Amino acid sequence: MANLKVDVSDLNKSFGDNHVLKGIDFKVANNEVVVLIGPSGSGKSTLLRCLNRLEAPTSGEVSIDGRDISNIKTNIDQARENIGMVFQHFNLFNNLTVGQNIELAPVELGKLSKEDAAAQAKKLLATVGLEDKYDAKPQSLSGGQKQRVAIARALAMNPDIMLFDEPTSALDPEMVGDVLEVMKKLAKEGMTMVVVTHEMGFAKEMADRVVFMADGVVVEEGKPEDVFDHPQNERTKAFLDKVINV
Amino acid sequence: MKIRLKLFFALFFASLGLFAWQAPTVHAETTYTIGTDVTFPPFVYANSNNKYVGIDMELIRSIAKEEGFKVDIKPLGFNAAVQSLSSGQIDGVIAGMTITDERKQTLDFSTPYYESGIVMAVAPSSKITSLKGLKGKTVAVKTGTQGAAYANSIKDKYGFKVVTFDDSDNVYNDVKTGNSAACFDDSAVLNYGVKTGLGLKVVTKPADVGQYGFAVKKGQNQKLLKMFNAGLAKLKKNGKYDQIIKKYTGKTATSKTTKSNSEDRTFLGLLRQNQKAILNGILETLKLTIVSIICATIFGILVGLLGVLPNKFARGASTTIIYIFRGLPLLVLALFIYNGIPSLTGTKIPAFVAGIITLTLNEGAYTAAFVKGGIDAVDSGQMEAARSLGLPFGKAMRKVILPQGIKIMVPSFINQFIITLKDTSILSIIGILELTQTGKIIIARNLEGFKVWAIIAVIYLLIITLLTLLSKWVERRIND
């Protein structure tokens, strides 16, 4: 399986007495778009955060590009350079302008000169449709704009996998489309993506595979049309009934 | 940021240099540091030029001249002087100190240079004429003096309570205001006071007669002690001793104080007379404030940062440091560092340095607490986002978290600077001649408590106003 991007085996994660992930096996191939769905508290976000060790696994193995993320000896900073992450609450650096947000990591980590980073930032802003916001402060942006800047910031490190943690959950409904548009563009360009979302439309349209999680285990997975139209598991059916027939 | 950091360290080392510059310099003649009282006329007091004069001062200076050594007089207050002597911070004490067996256990005394007894003084209107009249009343004495020991030895017999003060003028004032019915002090002192318009009357004969001696720490500075004895013998022989005693206890002594009573006692007059002393006090206060603000800020930031590191031991160390130095009263800390540590290790710590260390530890602990709090107040998502991009902890801290945390901390910093300025006044306890100690000394001489403290208070407010304006200006610069 040389083209495996993500290889998680028997992953367990507990917060104190709370056993959140219970022996997860999870694989993502190169260029694959995987959407994680499931009720809140099912462990989707925790799984995602274990992929770049924002949460340290309690046990089990996580490897990205063949690099063992769960090993404490792995240089996690270096590994994270190739793993972009987008958060529910954007987490733009409030002390910096939009441009500086995007340039910070490439410049500080010696990937690009200041000039090249600025040029790249402008280009990335153009791809997310915000070329005029280069000098703006994050505080002056709408939620949708912030999230698109956050995506541009993650892309600035030129990652080969992108993790999205409920990227549209904190947005006003009219902003959701813009962000999804950017994500679709990324997917079409062949970016490997793991997306935790409640946007079933996006999942149906863009996912190569949908993974349904509940209570810390993977309950069901498959092509979107199979999972959405012919769910095998009762829990999947119950969940889909709730979210789709609102 | 890097340039600012460098500037910070440059200032830090410059301030260290200031200590070094203050450190003792080598003289051809040995200089001895002699502790004395703030006010104990006619033995020790500051004249209207704020120069220390009196029997003790003239004796020690004349003896030094005879024997060829130099003295550095430190008006620490009686109690602090004796403590500093036994901790080895100073070389000798001359402060109208009675030679007692108890004191002999820790000190070595010179041959006696004066004889005096304890008398009781009351307010002019008081009807008390003997010790019997004190039943149920309160009596004022000065900490650590023979008068205090005498009062405590007879208080049960005569049924009175004892209150103690650190300065003589507070003792006398307490009797004048009627809070205390009487005070006990050496006869020479009270007689001199009565003669010079103290406003009290002496009603008993000298009791518990004792002899005054110059003291060094037991077993130390024996050479100094020998020189004092030799010098005293010479002065007695050549008539200089009698001359000095006469000058301060003879009839001519009163003429001096008539002059001092005719001093201009308006606010402006007081300011003008004490201009130099007050200015020096302000300078010392500013020096203490600035150096300790710099040191405390650096110390506080370091300890605060230690408290947010992803390491249990670092965080524990930070919490412990904050707990200890925020928990200790500043006064206790100052005395511990200045008197406590030297009596254990035997090495002197100059008062200024001890003061800076005290303030650095105490104010630094408060600074560390709000530095930690300021960083914790930055949304945790900021750190996660920075780390997820591959930025190491230190870089994420410097580039993303600290700039936001500092904004949160700025008001606390300004507040802490002002508190530091005010807290320098506590260092008067270890004899640093800053603004508060200057005030004490001026009052000890002219007893103008209300006016002098009002002047000192206004000066503090003025400096604080300037400091606040400066801080606000800096705050605006940071926020822009």
Side-chain angles (χ1 to χ4, degrees):
Chain A
M1 296 259 256
N3 60 349
L4 257 196
K5 204 81 198 163
V6 176
D7 191 351
V8 173
S9 58
D10 197 26
L11 174 64
N12 284 279
K13 175 69 187 175
S14 301
F15 295 101
D17 292 337
N18 190 7
H19 199 175
V20 179
L21 297 180
K22 302 166 183 165
I24 300 273
D25 291 309
F26 177 71
K27 292 173 177 43
V28 180
N30 231 338
N31 308 110
E32 195 181 14
V33 175
V34 175
V35 173
L36 291 173
I37 59 171
S40 55
S42 57
K44 320 177 290 281
S45 286
T46 306
L47 171 59
L48 197 73
R49 289 164 61 85
C50 282
L51 297 185
N52 66 351
R53 212 163 87 193
L54 280 184
E55 304 294 352
T58 307
S59 72
E61 243 180 69
V62 176
S63 69
I64 307 274
D65 268 333
R67 208 196 299 239
D68 186 1
I69 298 288
S70 44
N71 188 339
I72 221 80
K73 285 184 191 127
T74 305
N75 184 337
I76 192 66
D77 293 325
Q78 229 168 55
R80 280 170 179 162
E81 289 177 9
N82 295 319
I83 311 170
M85 180 142 189
V86 175
F87 300 85
Q88 180 178 357
H89 294 288
F90 334 123
N91 298 347
L92 291 186
F93 305 137
N94 296 318
N95 56 318
L96 303 176
T97 64
V98 165
Q100 289 165 336
N101 260 276
I102 301 172
E103 293 154 14
L104 180 71
V107 172
E108 283 301 318
L109 297 172
K111 304 286 167 195
L112 291 175
S113 70
K114 276 193 171 159
E115 293 74 29
D116 292 346
Q120 181 193 252
K122 284 172 185 157
K123 219 175 88 200
L124 286 169
L125 280 175
T127 31
V128 299
L130 292 171
E131 50 271 77
D132 55 331
K133 296 294 182 189
Y134 179 80
D135 287 316
K137 278 281 195 177
Q139 293 86 329
S140 68
L141 302 182
S142 72
Q145 292 171 328
K146 281 182 189 168
Q147 196 59 299
R148 283 184 279 156
V149 173
I151 295 172
R153 179 178 67 182
L155 290 174
M157 282 306 288
N158 218 355
D160 41 30
I161 177 167
M162 288 282 285
L163 312 177
F164 291 85
D165 190 2
E166 304 202 25
T168 55
S169 299
L171 297 181
D172 291 336
E174 74 267 26
M175 306 283 180
V176 171
D178 293 341
V179 173
L180 290 180
E181 236 11 82
V182 172
M183 290 168 64
K184 284 177 193 168
K185 204 145 83 178
L186 267 181
K188 281 175 191 153
E189 284 165 9
M191 175 66 78
T192 309
M193 292 163 68
V194 181
V195 183
V196 172
T197 188
H198 296 292
E199 294 297 328
M200 296 306 151
F202 176 84
K204 271 185 188 163
E205 186 183 347
M206 299 308 300
D208 297 310
R209 185 154 51 95
V210 172
V211 174
F212 174 73
M213 283 180 72
D215 289 331
V217 294
V218 173
V219 174
E220 187 168 352
E221 60 181 308
K223 288 192 181 322
E225 51 270 30
D226 293 340
V227 174
F228 284 115
D229 301 337
H230 311 288
Q232 301 299 308
N233 190 291
E234 283 307 315
R235 300 200 57 174
T236 319
K237 279 181 200 162
F239 173 76
L240 288 174
D241 276 348
K242 264 189 214 149
V243 291
I244 291 174
N245 303 330
V246 169
Chain B
M1 189 72 191
K2 260 183 200 146
I3 294 168
R4 241 183 287 164
L5 211 69
K6 269 184 204 152
L7 192 74
F8 221 43
F9 279 106
L11 276 170
F12 180 62
F13 287 117
S15 53
L16 281 183
L18 211 64
F19 296 160
W21 172 71
Q22 291 245 337
T25 40
V26 185
H27 284 293
E29 287 179 313
T30 320
T31 300
Y32 291 103
T33 309
I34 307 295
T36 191
D37 207 341
V38 174
T39 180
F40 195 57
F43 296 96
V44 192
Y45 63 96
N47 68 12
S48 51
N49 298 322
N50 287 307
K51 184 176 158 50
Y52 268 85
V53 294
I55 295 172
D56 286 4
M57 294 300 99
E58 299 223 7
L59 273 181
I60 190 78
R61 286 199 186 102
S62 305
I63 289 170
K65 214 158 137 196
E66 287 284 342
E67 299 294 315
F69 62 91
K70 283 193 169 169
V71 288
D72 179 14
I73 303 287
K74 295 246 180 223
L76 298 170
F78 185 80
N79 202 22
V82 174
Q83 279 194 41
S84 301
L85 181 60
S86 44
S87 65
Q89 286 276 32
I90 54 176
D91 300 308
V93 166
I94 184 160
M97 177 158 41
T98 310
I99 303 169
T100 65
D101 288 339
E102 203 184 348
R103 286 180 180 147
K104 273 187 193 163
Q105 293 184 358
T106 50
L107 307 174
D108 285 333
F109 282 96
S110 68
T111 47
Y113 65 86
Y114 197 82
E115 198 165 272
S116 178
I118 305 299
V119 292
M120 177 170 93
V122 296
S125 57
S126 171
K127 298 209 167 54
I128 298 172
T129 55
S130 71
L131 295 172
K132 287 193 185 92
L134 291 175
K135 196 166 177 61
K137 300 263 187 343
T138 306
V139 161
V141 294
K142 185 162 145 185
T143 325
T145 59
Q146 208 46 35
Y150 179 68
N152 280 313
S153 72
I154 60 167
K155 68 176 177 191
D156 290 335
K157 189 172 160 197
Y158 293 97
F160 59 84
K161 265 190 279 188
V162 176
V163 285
T164 49
F165 296 91
D166 267 345
D167 297 305
S168 295
D169 53 293
N170 287 331
V171 173
Y172 306 145
N173 258 328
D174 210 49
V175 178
K176 274 195 271 187
T177 56
N179 289 335
S180 293
C183 63
F184 287 98
D185 217 332
D186 293 74
S187 55
V189 173
L190 277 175
N191 283 328
Y192 174 84
V194 168
K195 219 177 337 179
T196 55
L198 179 63
L200 295 177
K201 61 180 182 187
V202 174
V203 292
T204 59
K205 290 246 153 58
D208 212 20
V209 173
Q211 293 170 318
Y212 288 178
F214 166 77
V216 294
K217 188 178 177 183
K218 199 169 183 66
Q220 306 212 331
N221 278 313
Q222 296 299 315
K223 195 177 151 212
L224 174 62
L225 196 61
K226 241 179 236 156
M227 288 195 288
F228 185 94
N229 285 336
L232 182 62
K234 278 182 206 163
L235 293 185
K236 279 190 170 162
K237 216 169 182 181
N238 68 18
K240 177 92 185 169
Y241 174 84
D242 289 331
Q243 221 177 310
I244 292 173
I245 300 295
K246 210 166 166 190
K247 182 173 163 191
Y248 289 97
T249 59
K251 279 189 186 117
T252 42
T254 36
S255 67
K256 229 182 147 57
T257 38
T258 357
K259 193 173 130 214
S260 100
N261 278 339
S262 68
E263 277 177 6
D264 188 351
R265 292 295 176 91
T266 60
F267 278 102
L268 266 179
L270 286 170
L271 256 179
R272 210 173 306 123
Q273 277 153 32
N274 300 299
Q275 204 180 25
K276 225 181 114 198
I278 291 176
L279 217 60
N280 283 335
I282 293 175
L283 280 180
E284 193 69 15
T285 290
L286 285 179
K287 216 158 76 181
L288 278 171
T289 307
I290 292 167
V291 177
S292 50
I293 280 178
I294 293 171
C295 294
T297 303
I298 293 172
F299 178 69
I301 289 176
L302 289 180
V303 174
L305 289 179
L306 207 61
V308 293
L309 287 184
N311 178 309
K312 251 200 321 225
F313 296 103
R315 284 201 303 270
S318 170
T319 313
T320 311
I321 292 172
I322 293 173
Y323 174 77
I324 292 175
F325 293 113
R326 205 167 53 163
L328 279 179
L330 200 49
L331 193 61
V332 173
L333 188 61
L335 289 173
F336 180 75
I337 290 170
Y338 184 66
N339 283 331
I341 292 178
S343 43
L344 184 75
T345 61
T347 35
K348 290 184 201 180
I349 304 174
F352 186 83
V353 176
I356 294 297
I357 296 175
T358 305
L359 288 176
T360 299
L361 293 176
N362 180 275
E363 315 292 341
Y366 281 96
T367 305
F370 68 68
V371 164
K372 218 164 101 174
I375 292 170
D376 287 341
V378 176
D379 177 28
S380 61
Q382 298 280 312
M383 181 54 107
E384 285 187 351
R387 295 305 304 275
S388 77
L389 287 166
L391 290 171
F393 178 84
K395 271 204 169 113
M397 204 59 173
R398 259 202 341 271
K399 295 288 171 182
V400 177
I401 310 300
L402 278 184
Q404 298 183 54
I406 285 170
K407 262 193 189 178
I408 300 172
M409 296 168 207
V410 165
S412 308
F413 268 116
I414 293 174
N415 198 23
Q416 198 59 39
F417 292 166
I418 290 169
I419 291 173
T420 306
L421 168 62
K422 291 192 290 184
D423 282 351
T424 56
S425 65
I426 288 179
L427 300 178
S428 61
I429 192 73
I430 56 174
I432 298 179
L433 252 177
E434 42 65 72
L435 198 49
T436 303
Q437 182 76 347
T438 305
K440 272 193 206 169
I441 289 173
I442 295 172
I443 293 167
R445 179 168 48 77
N446 63 20
L447 298 178
E448 290 284 353
F450 172 74
K451 285 178 188 163
V452 174
W453 283 130
I455 289 172
I456 299 291
V458 169
I459 294 175
Y460 271 114
L461 280 178
L462 279 176
I463 303 177
I464 282 168
T465 309
L466 288 177
L467 188 65
T468 312
L469 288 175
L470 181 74
S471 307
K472 295 272 178 208
W473 180 76
V474 172
E475 187 181 5
R476 267 201 307 277
R477 293 288 301 262
I478 289 177
N479 283 337
D480 279 348

